């Protein structure tokens, strides 16, 4: 039986929590997207180093390696410390890009490039802490929270793209215009990451609905939520360890993975395909068009906007795919996009290319939300947290595979 007080507590602060999740999702990728979006500045500074591909290749092993360690030890890690460490690292890394550029007066060179690569690696480590930690944490709360966090991830791409188009238009013809745009970007980025640190530390843990779900997870045997509960003013009750161990038996990570291997492979394939086309192929291999230097920026902006739209479609119940078989079929059928992109780049005009890029983004966002919200259903809090971490591990693994495959487009380009 649910007491009226408990029922109201379960819903209180829901809308606020959805907004905070969206902002935290945004913060998780804002710095990295800023770095991706000012690629034209880096291509100008480091013309011989392929920055758009190299920076992504540096970022990924750090993200994947860190996340693998964190996902393996997930049950013993203090989630609050993990997420705060990630957001604080994002803040300092964004500041480091600013300082590096100001200290070298915007000059290129190998030393600066190595510095930027180091920051890219730090972004990877921060991303592994935050993305796995947050999605694991939200997996035992309402599905809308995950949807909102994941939509925030996409929104960071759309926002940085929009800002980039504005700064390009504003500064394009001025002296050092590219650099002004880039500095403005990382200034905004550092400010935004600081906001996320404060939101996660002081606002999110105090929302009644969040306290309710965290207490529920603790009562189901979750050890990772204790300091988050303390931040919300709730002390975990001491219990009898032997009795608790029996009552709170949970599936191991291996058992969870075997039961959800289709979801895990879906996540891997969605991102492997997307990143083998976006952003490397789109920014370097689309030929010459009437849009000139705006063309790659327009394509990347279209991808980001439709990726964001796709993440809101599953909120409309009849349009949400929940059948596991249908999700796998939809994921596999996206492989047809590779020949489609190849022939469009060769023979098609820019209208078709924009249409295809939009569809790539739409399907990416839509399938991500369907998988992440369907998978945790029916498990206990600690299992949902572990499963959220595992799915993000496969997602980042897919990104790494996609980024590596992205180099295949360069074959036969005399590279």
């Amino acid at each position: 039986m649910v007491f009226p007080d408990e029922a109201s507590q379960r819903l209180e602060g829901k809308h606020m929590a959805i907004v905070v999740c969206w902002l935290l999702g945004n913060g998780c990728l804002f710095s990295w997207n800023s770095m991706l979006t000012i690629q034209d500045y880096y291509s100008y500074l480091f013309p011989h180093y392929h920055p758009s591909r190299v920076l992504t290749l540096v970022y990924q092993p750090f993200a994947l390696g860190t996340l693998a360690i964190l996902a393996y030890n997930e049950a013993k890690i203090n989630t609050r410390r993990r997420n705060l460490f990630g957001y604080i690292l994002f803040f300092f890394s964004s500041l480091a890009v600013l300082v590096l550029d100001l200290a070298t007066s915007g000059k290129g060179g190998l030393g600066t490039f190595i510095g930027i690569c180091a920051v890219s690696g730090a972004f990877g480590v921060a991303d592994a802490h935050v993305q796995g930690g947050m999605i694991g944490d939200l997996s035992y709360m309402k599905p809308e929270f995950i949807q909102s966090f994941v939509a925030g991830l996409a929104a960071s791409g759309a926002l940085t793209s929009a800002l980039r188009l504005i700064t390009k238009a504003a500064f394009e013809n001025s002296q050092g215009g590219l650099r002004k745009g880039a500095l403005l970007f990382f200034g905004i980025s550092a400010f935004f990451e600081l906001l996320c640190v404060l939101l996660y530390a002081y606002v999110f843990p105090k929302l009644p609905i969040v306290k309710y779900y965290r207490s529920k997870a603790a009562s189901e045997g979750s050890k990772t939520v204790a300091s988050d509960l303390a931040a919300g003013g709730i002390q975990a009750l001491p219990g009898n360890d032997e009795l608790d161990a029996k009552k709170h038996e949970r599936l191991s990570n291996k058992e969870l993975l075997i039961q959800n291997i289709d979801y895990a492979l879906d996540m891997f394939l969605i991102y492997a395909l997307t990143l083998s086309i976006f952003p490397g192929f789109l920014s370097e291999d689309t030929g010459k068009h009437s849009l000139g230097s705006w063309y790659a920026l327009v394509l990347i902006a279209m991808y980001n906007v439709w990726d964001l739209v796709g993440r809101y479609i599953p909120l409309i119940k009849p349009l949400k795919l929940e059948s596991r078989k249908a999700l796998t079929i939809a994921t596999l059928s996206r492989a047809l996009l590779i020949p489609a992109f190849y022939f469009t780049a060769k023979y098609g005009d820019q209208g078709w290319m924009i249409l295809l890029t939009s569809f790539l983004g739409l399907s990416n966002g839509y399938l991500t939300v369907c998988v992440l919200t369907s998978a945790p259903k029916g498990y206990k809090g600690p299992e949902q947290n572990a499963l959220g971490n595992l799915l993000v591990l496969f997602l980042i693994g897919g990104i790494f595979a996609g980024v590596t495959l992205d180099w295949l487009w360069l074959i036969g380009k005399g590279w």
Side-chain angles (χ1 to χ4, degrees):
M1 176 177 155
V2 176
F3 298 103
D5 177 46
E6 192 184 334
S8 68
Q9 196 187 19
R10 270 164 66 176
L11 294 174
E12 204 181 320
K14 177 183 162 185
H15 297 297
M16 182 66 182
I18 287 176
V19 173
V20 173
C21 286
W22 191 87
L23 288 168
L24 289 171
N26 215 317
C28 177
L29 282 182
F30 199 86
S31 303
W32 173 239
N33 274 322
S34 299
M35 192 172 247
L36 275 188
T37 313
I38 57 172
Q39 284 308 340
D40 44 357
Y41 175 55
Y42 287 145
S43 301
Y44 160 75
L45 271 192
F46 315 110
H48 306 301
Y49 300 137
H50 283 282
S52 78
R53 288 187 161 107
V54 173
L55 288 174
T56 318
L57 262 188
V58 171
Y59 173 91
Q60 289 309 329
F62 280 101
L64 191 59
T66 311
L67 190 63
I69 298 164
L70 290 171
Y72 183 74
N73 298 309
E74 170 276 324
K76 300 191 274 294
I77 292 172
N78 174 331
T79 307
R80 181 176 174 77
R81 253 184 237 154
R82 170 182 176 172
N83 289 336
L84 279 175
F85 173 78
Y87 283 119
I88 290 168
L89 183 57
F90 271 133
F91 170 64
F92 283 115
S93 305
S94 300
L95 268 187
V97 179
L98 265 180
V99 172
L100 194 67
D101 198 272
L102 293 169
T104 58
S105 318
K107 292 193 171 47
L110 188 60
T112 316
F113 189 62
I114 291 170
I116 299 237
C117 286
V119 171
S120 180
F123 283 157
V125 173
D127 181 35
H129 279 79
V130 170
Q131 203 171 337
M134 285 300 300
I135 287 181
D137 207 20
L138 299 175
S139 290
Y140 57 75
M141 299 186 198
K142 290 183 99 50
E144 292 96 305
F145 291 1
I146 282 203
Q147 183 277 327
S148 188
F149 180 80
V150 175
L153 292 177
S156 70
L159 275 177
T160 46
S161 274
L163 272 174
R164 184 72 201 97
L165 292 170
I166 295 165
T167 53
K168 186 174 166 68
F171 296 134
E172 184 161 40
N173 302 322
S174 68
Q175 181 67 36
L178 271 176
R179 181 168 179 241
K180 284 179 193 159
L183 289 175
L184 178 69
F185 250 81
F186 275 97
I188 293 172
S189 187
F191 167 76
F192 195 74
E193 296 303 343
L194 187 60
L195 175 73
C196 287
V197 171
L198 299 173
L199 279 175
Y200 187 79
Y202 300 110
V203 179
F204 195 60
K206 293 193 167 70
L207 296 170
I209 189 163
V210 174
K211 288 192 211 174
Y212 166 80
Y213 280 109
R214 281 179 172 158
S215 310
K216 185 163 169 272
S219 72
E220 290 170 344
S222 176
K223 301 264 186 293
T224 58
V225 294
S227 65
D228 275 319
L229 282 173
I234 299 175
Q235 294 303 322
L237 299 170
N240 179 332
D241 285 355
E242 278 180 31
L243 273 174
D244 280 357
K246 278 206 173 66
K247 191 172 104 186
H248 298 320
E249 275 176 8
R250 53 155 275 198
L251 298 171
S252 69
N253 283 359
K254 190 177 167 189
E255 291 166 322
L256 277 172
L257 188 56
I258 291 167
Q259 287 182 15
N260 294 283
I261 192 68
D262 55 330
Y263 285 135
L265 289 175
D266 286 348
M267 288 310 282
F268 180 85
L269 292 170
I270 291 169
Y271 281 85
L273 183 102
T274 299
L275 275 120
S276 59
I277 297 170
F278 171 91
F281 173 72
L282 292 187
S283 55
E284 282 191 32
D285 306 306
T286 48
K288 294 278 171 274
H289 292 276
S290 57
L291 282 167
S293 67
W294 285 82
Y295 187 51
L297 288 181
V298 168
L299 284 180
I300 288 173
M302 289 308 289
Y303 167 85
N304 281 322
V305 167
W306 284 100
D307 183 29
L308 178 59
V309 171
R311 291 172 194 229
Y312 279 98
I313 295 174
L315 285 179
I316 305 163
K317 272 285 186 293
L319 296 181
K320 186 179 175 190
L321 259 190
E322 296 204 31
S323 137
R324 294 171 82 147
K325 198 183 271 179
L327 275 171
T328 307
I329 292 168
T331 305
L332 292 173
S333 61
R334 286 176 85 229
L336 296 170
L337 283 169
I338 289 184
F341 268 96
Y342 176 75
F343 289 113
T344 307
K346 218 171 157 108
Y347 308 112
D349 65 2
Q350 52 198 31
W352 286 107
M353 200 65 176
I354 290 172
L355 186 74
L356 266 183
T357 308
S358 304
F359 182 73
L360 180 75
L362 185 75
S363 56
N364 183 76
Y366 172 75
L367 290 170
T368 302
V369 171
C370 289
V371 172
L372 283 176
T373 51
S374 304
K377 284 186 179 155
Y379 289 105
K380 284 194 274 193
E383 293 166 345
Q384 291 171 319
N385 190 342
L387 183 56
N389 271 279
L390 288 170
L391 290 175
V392 175
L393 180 62
F394 274 80
L395 181 158
I396 292 198
I399 292 179
F400 188 49
V403 169
T404 316
L405 290 170
D406 190 33
W407 289 81
L408 293 178
W409 296 103
L410 291 176
I411 292 172
K413 288 261 163 79
W415 189 73

